[in-house]
């Protein structure tokens, strides 16, 4: 398999750093101003993505994707937010640890370099009765601060192909209804939606009929989310630069609605992974070029743990020697790259430093120091 999204959390945070190609250790000066309240809300469920790293394609052999559908004319796009405007949700595992350990020698480093960075909020547990209120609690809090939240719907059926992050809705009809509830909580402000990590790049485990049905549901999800909040920016799963070749990934993305202005603002790459920002920029641009679609489509890149790049041996589970990457920003200064985000919160384990998705101060300190 190819390293896709390592362990993720049901309600996590997202962000990314400012310098475009600087992949070395992130400095405090390099990033945008830290937010007053950051961190990630601890998930009721802790999804862990399956290991997939070796290029160019994931485990199962895929059928050739269908040709790309025609694309509607581009709709006006929302202006990107200024640096420092990303929202950091205050209820998170890392923040809880920082608050509970005032005397720990690792606390200052973990707080300043991880807890005080805005990150994505994941919604990975299938709870239809509460999803609207839970999404609204995040988006309304961000709106009160004049900031932009990053939210991650992660409940597609047959999630992670039955791997460590298995779960999600029982079927696509239930998922469609869950997305309706999710969209109802978005409000009317700016919000970045990272739609279903691994759902497209890791679709080889599905038969053609089930894959087509999933893609139709994802295309519908994008339309519903953008119709509910015209200021929402929705990004689709492009895997990462060590997974599918750009042309193949673009063909899959097109089938899932990522080339349509009615459902998509572009693609995301490197979620929970370690590939260098420069490699992901080149890959994202190649995917977008092959995808076609409105000229305004862009990409967001998860830079949360890519400060030292990917391990040479392909290790994906809490690998040693990694560092936090570029700080979160919605103003990258790089053409076609809309944001650097921390979708995977550094310190939340892939399953080797602790139970999948749980916070490991040992690993957080290793990444941040």
């Amino acid at each position: 398999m190819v390293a896709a999204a390592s362990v993720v959390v049901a309600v996590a945070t997202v962000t990314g750093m400012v310098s475009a190609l600087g992949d070395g250790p992130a400095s405090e000066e390099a990033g945008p101003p830290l937010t007053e309240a950051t961190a990630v809300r601890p998930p009721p469920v802790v999804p862990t993505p399956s290991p997939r790293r070796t290029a160019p394609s994931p485990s199962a052999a895929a059928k050739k994707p269908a040709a790309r559908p025609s694309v509607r004319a581009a709709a006006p796009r929302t202006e990107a937010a200024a640096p420092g405007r990303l929202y950091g949700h205050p209820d998170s595992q890392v923040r809880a640890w920082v608050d509970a350990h005032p005397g720990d020698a690792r606390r200052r480093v973990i707080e300043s370099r991880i807890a005080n960075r805005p990150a994505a909020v994941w919604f990975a547990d299938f709870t239809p009765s509460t999803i609207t209120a839970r999404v609204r609690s995040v988006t309304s809090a961000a709106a009160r601060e004049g900031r932009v939240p990053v939210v991650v719907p992660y409940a597609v059926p047959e999630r992670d192909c039955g791997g460590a992050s298995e779960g999600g809705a029982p079927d696509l009809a239930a998922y469609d209804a869950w997305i309706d509830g999710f969209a109802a909580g978005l409000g009317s402000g700016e919000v970045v939606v990272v739609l279903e990590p691994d759902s497209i790049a890791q679709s080889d485990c599905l038969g053609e009929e089930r894959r087509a049905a999933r893609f139709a549901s994802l295309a519908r999800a994008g339309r519903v989310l953008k119709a509910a909040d015209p200021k929402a920016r929705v990004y689709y799963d492009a895997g990462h630069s060590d997974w599918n070749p750009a042309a193949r990934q673009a063909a899959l993305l097109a089938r899932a609605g990522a080339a349509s202005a009615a459902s998509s603002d572009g693609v995301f790459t490197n979620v929970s992974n370690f590939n260098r920002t420069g490699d992901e920029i080149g890959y994202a641009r190649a995917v977008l070029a092959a995808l076609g679609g409105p000229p305004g489509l862009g990409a967001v890149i998860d830079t949360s743990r890519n400060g030292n790049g990917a391990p040479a041996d392909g290790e994906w589970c809490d690998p040693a020697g990694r560092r936090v990457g570029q700080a979160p920003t919605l103003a990258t200064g790089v053409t076609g790259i809309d944001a650097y985000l921390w979708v995977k919160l550094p310190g939340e384990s892939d399953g080797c430093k602790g139970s999948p998705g749980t916070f490991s101060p040992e690993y957080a300190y290793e990444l941040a120091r």
Side-chain angles (χ1 to χ4, degrees), residues 208-288:
E208 181 56 31
E209 184 176 347
R210 285 186 297 155
R211 186 183 344 184
R214 172 185 284 190
F215 288 171
S217 193
L218 291 172
R220 177 192 181 277
R223 293 193 301 270
V224 168
L225 293 164
K226 290 182 69 63
D229 179 4
K231 291 184 178 180
R233 283 175 280 162
V234 179
Y235 295 89
Y236 281 73
D237 169 37
H240 58 70
S241 58
D242 282 342
W243 202 342
N244 290 325
R248 180 174 183 272
Q249 187 63 30
L252 296 172
L253 282 158
R255 294 178 62 192
S260 169
S263 55
S264 171
D265 290 271
V267 302
F268 62 83
T269 77
N270 210 42
V271 166
S272 293
N273 228 288
F274 305 92
N275 297 311
R276 292 187 180 276
T277 304
D279 293 337
E280 293 305 300
I281 289 172
Y283 174 70
R285 285 175 167 170
V287 169
L288 290 169

Side-chain angles (χ1 to χ4, degrees), residues 313-334:
D313 61 2
E315 177 57 53
W316 63 271
C317 185
D318 301 331
R322 301 313 97 201
R323 295 195 64 174
V324 294
Q326 298 172 260
T329 185
L330 290 169
T332 68
V334 179

Side-chain angles (χ1 to χ4, degrees), residues 80-146:
R85 280 190 56 207
L86 283 165
Y87 172 69
H89 197 48
D91 186 9
S92 72
Q93 295 187 82
V94 62
R95 174 55 59 188
W97 182 88
V98 165
D99 292 345
H101 295 82
D104 194 297
R106 301 166 294 184
R107 181 183 185 274
R108 183 187 62 81
V109 169
I110 291 173
E111 180 176 30
S112 64
R113 298 182 183 175
I114 296 178
N116 283 354
R117 300 287 187 187
V121 181
W122 290 71
F123 298 85
D125 55 325
F126 181 69
T127 51
S129 63
T130 61
I131 188 61
T132 299
R134 289 171 51 222
V135 173
R136 185 178 293 127
S137 72
V138 173
T139 57
S140 60
R144 286 193 296 270
E145 295 183 15

